Amino acid sequence: MILSFAKILAILKKEFIQLKRDRATAAMVIFIPLIQLLLFGYAINNDPKHLNTVVLSEDNSIFSRNFVVGLKNSEYFHVAGEIKSDAEGRKLLQKGDVQFVVTIPGNFSRDLIRRRVPSVLIEADAADPVTAAGAVGAAREILTSALARDLSGVLSFLRNDNLLPANVIIHKLYNPEGFTNYNVIPGLIGALLTLMGIMVTALSLTRERERGTMENMLAMPVKPMEVMLGKIIPHIIIGYIQAAIIVAAAKFLFTIPLAGSSFLLAIAMMMFIICNLALGLAVSTIAKNQMQSLQIAMFIFLPSLMLSGFMFPFYGMPSWAQMIGSCFPMTYFVRITRGIMLKGSNFSEMWQNFWALLLFMCIVTGIAAKLYKKTLD
Amino acid sequence: MSYAIDVRNLTKKIKNNAIVDHINIRVQRGKIYGFLGPNGSGKTTTMRMLCGLLSSDDGEGHCLGFDFKKESDKIKSQVGYMTQKFSFWEDLTIRENLEFTVKMFQKDNIEKRVRKSLEKAGLTSRAEQLAGTLSGGWKQRLALTACLIHEPKLLLLDEPTAGVDPKARKAFWEDIRNFADSGFTVLVSTHYTDEAERCDKIIYIAYGSIMAEGTVSEIMCGFSSMEDSFIYYTDNSLRNKL
């Protein structure tokens, strides 16, 4: 199939002229990101549970083992396994596979017996500060109750009602000050691109159908792929403008660091924008009018928002919700933006998410191309 | 004699209900064919199938020498199809609409072509006006101009003069007569009997079937007016169906 560049360009130009004359939409493109940014800049409180945790235990004693059992039995932590080194823990945190690495130092039981008040170290992925904040309290509670049981009988002399026998120290990584908007704003890019991408494309195509101009366009010798490209390209550009607004606002308004490669971020955005535009195209082929396409767009947008890890920590959701969440490209995109903007992650640490996005992009584009009708039937 | 349209057994079904039921259409080159019939008789559906806008459920044949089922892209590039409802972009200006159309048909000399068309249609002074702000008559003028801008060999006009004043209608018919006289073909659907009388041949369609076909005098034979014949064929078809 040979596509005509001139025809695509003609459609593209027409779209831009129409957008320019449609003041309301043009304003929406600029102001929605800004308004959302200010609204979402504040925390959404929640109560996370079963957060992935790995344990690095250098002290093999009854005390440390009981503490780990305590962690396992708790609702807050989900002990995914034990690791052997510090570096391994860092890597898991960086990739976002675990939220916490609990380290029990080698001298833990010795110091405990000598009443030196040993400490357990928790390294937390504080990109989501709400999650991290709860961890300290929960861990201290678990440690105290685990030791209380063990420090009985002949060891009861170690108990001191005024002083805890051991301490919990937390290291907040990636977002030491615990700003919630650190976590929200990178995710917001995903939310906005989803909303605008699906909605604007779906509307622009159903509008043509509703007004009858689609009939005119179909009567012209133009290939469906040319129409699709002509419709999609302007919105890729718009998507980038919106993303740029948010990234700029994040940097200058909320002083969020852009720790990783902005080039990698731009590539992820391209893939994600195409995913959403293709979704929008697919929606437009199903919807009979603009109202319907708006409703279907919302039907996709809301669960993306709720289940992608944007609103609630992904691994804190029940497994069925995680399963549904995995079906939305936004889930992977939010991980990528958080990884790049907050943790400075590189491609090798996030390739699974990129792979998932690529897969989505191909499948959704294929479906949209298949559903796109050449005739009025 | 060569035919611009030569299609047999053309059929369109919607849920087993035949909207167009095995009709045969032959249209000679260089003639104006009037397509008459009550509302819902299948005129629009037939036209849409001929230019590849709708798929057909049965039938075979040719349109401008191309297989109408398989070569709809080639047909589209040589057909000017004017929709019943104004279907150009209301938020584009007249000039932008024409430019877009030329580009879609991949014709060269875009600027010259648009300028000439504007002049011919008397639209030059309004070229920068948004199409949505035009009155009904001017909209129809724009639609016809856009349909002709790529020099089609066949015009399919779906009730082109509905809601247009008599003066504009007269000018419109002069235009399509000129078009036919230069060897091209027109199939035009209409409800106006005075317009039907201007056609070289008439095809009566009702309930998805062709009721009568012929020149104006053939059709009028035995009737005092075009209206009478129209009503007769429509009623007759209903009787046959029942």
Side-chain angles (χ1 to χ4, degrees), chain A residues 187 189-191 193-195 198 268-280 300-301 303-305 307-310 314 322-337 352-365:
Chain A
I189 302 177
L193 291 180
T194 305
L195 180 66
I198 299 178
M269 278 177 187
M270 172 67 89
M271 289 161 75
F272 185 62
I273 290 171
I274 293 175
C275 274
N276 287 311
L277 298 182
L279 259 174
I300 300 171
F301 173 65
S304 303
L305 199 69
L307 305 178
S308 63
F310 169 66
F314 189 80
Q322 289 188 25
M323 249 151 73
I324 301 173
S326 308
C327 301
F328 294 103
M330 184 168 155
T331 303
Y332 307 98
F333 183 70
V334 166
R335 286 181 198 163
I336 292 173
T337 46
Q352 291 106 324
N353 295 319
F354 274 91
W355 173 237
L357 268 191
L358 185 72
L359 196 70
F360 260 105
M361 195 174 88
C362 295
I363 293 175
V364 178
T365 315

Side-chain angles (χ1 to χ4, degrees), chain B residues 9-28:
Chain B
N9 291 322
L10 190 64
T11 303
K12 179 74 192 175
K13 286 179 187 161
I14 293 178
K15 289 176 188 159
N16 282 324
N17 185 19
I19 307 296
V20 174
D21 197 1
H22 295 89
I23 63 170
N24 303 324
I25 295 183
R26 272 185 170 184
V27 175
Q28 291 166 23

Side-chain angles (χ1 to χ4, degrees), chain A residues 205-225:
Chain A
L205 272 155
T206 31
R207 189 183 303 138
E208 298 246 11
R209 212 156 292 213
E210 235 175 75
R211 292 186 182 167
T213 50
M214 192 47 112
E215 186 177 356
N216 200 342
M217 190 109 101
L218 287 171
M220 296 172 176
V222 54
K223 295 191 179 76
M225 195 48 109

Side-chain angles (χ1 to χ4, degrees), chain A residues 292-352:
Chain A
Q292 266 191 18
S293 65
L294 209 64
Q295 283 168 332
I296 302 174
M298 277 297 151
F299 184 74
I300 300 171
F301 173 65
L302 285 177
S304 303
L305 199 69
M306 300 294 178
L307 305 178
S308 63
F310 169 66
M311 282 225 167
F312 316 107
F314 189 80
Y315 294 107
M317 299 190 303
S319 61
W320 61 266
Q322 289 188 25
M323 249 151 73
I324 301 173
S326 308
C327 301
F328 294 103
M330 184 168 155
T331 303
Y332 307 98
F333 183 70
V334 166
R335 286 181 198 163
I336 292 173
T337 46
R338 282 180 181 163
I340 293 176
M341 291 181 76
L342 304 179
K343 302 181 189 172
S345 305
N346 56 33
F347 181 74
S348 63
E349 283 155 345
M350 289 185 304
W351 67 269
Q352 291 106 324

Side-chain angles (χ1 to χ4, degrees), chain B residues 135-197:
Chain B
S135 66
W138 285 110
K139 274 185 179 166
Q140 181 245 27
R141 193 118 202 102
L142 165 62
L144 182 68
T145 307
C147 279
L148 290 169
I149 203 162
H150 62 285
E151 294 164 0
K153 293 185 176 146
L154 169 66
L155 273 184
L156 298 174
L157 309 172
D158 196 359
E159 292 186 28
T161 53
V164 172
D165 68 57
K167 195 179 155 213
R169 267 171 59 192
K170 189 165 169 276
F172 178 86
W173 273 89
E174 278 163 12
D175 283 348
I176 65 168
R177 174 52 72 189
N178 283 335
F179 180 76
D181 285 347
S182 41
F184 302 118
T185 317
V186 181
L187 179 61
V188 51
S189 78
T190 180
H191 287 305
Y192 296 107
T193 45
D194 62 312
E195 289 186 351
E197 285 172 29

Side-chain angles (χ1 to χ4, degrees), chain A residues 120-134:
Chain A
V120 170
L121 173 71
I122 296 181
E123 286 170 296
D125 176 354
D128 182 356
V130 185
T131 318

Side-chain angles (χ1 to χ4, degrees), chain A residues 45 91 253 281 288 313 321 362:
Chain A
N45 248 323
K91 208 171 154 196
L253 230 58
L281 272 176
K288 294 210 164 57
C362 295

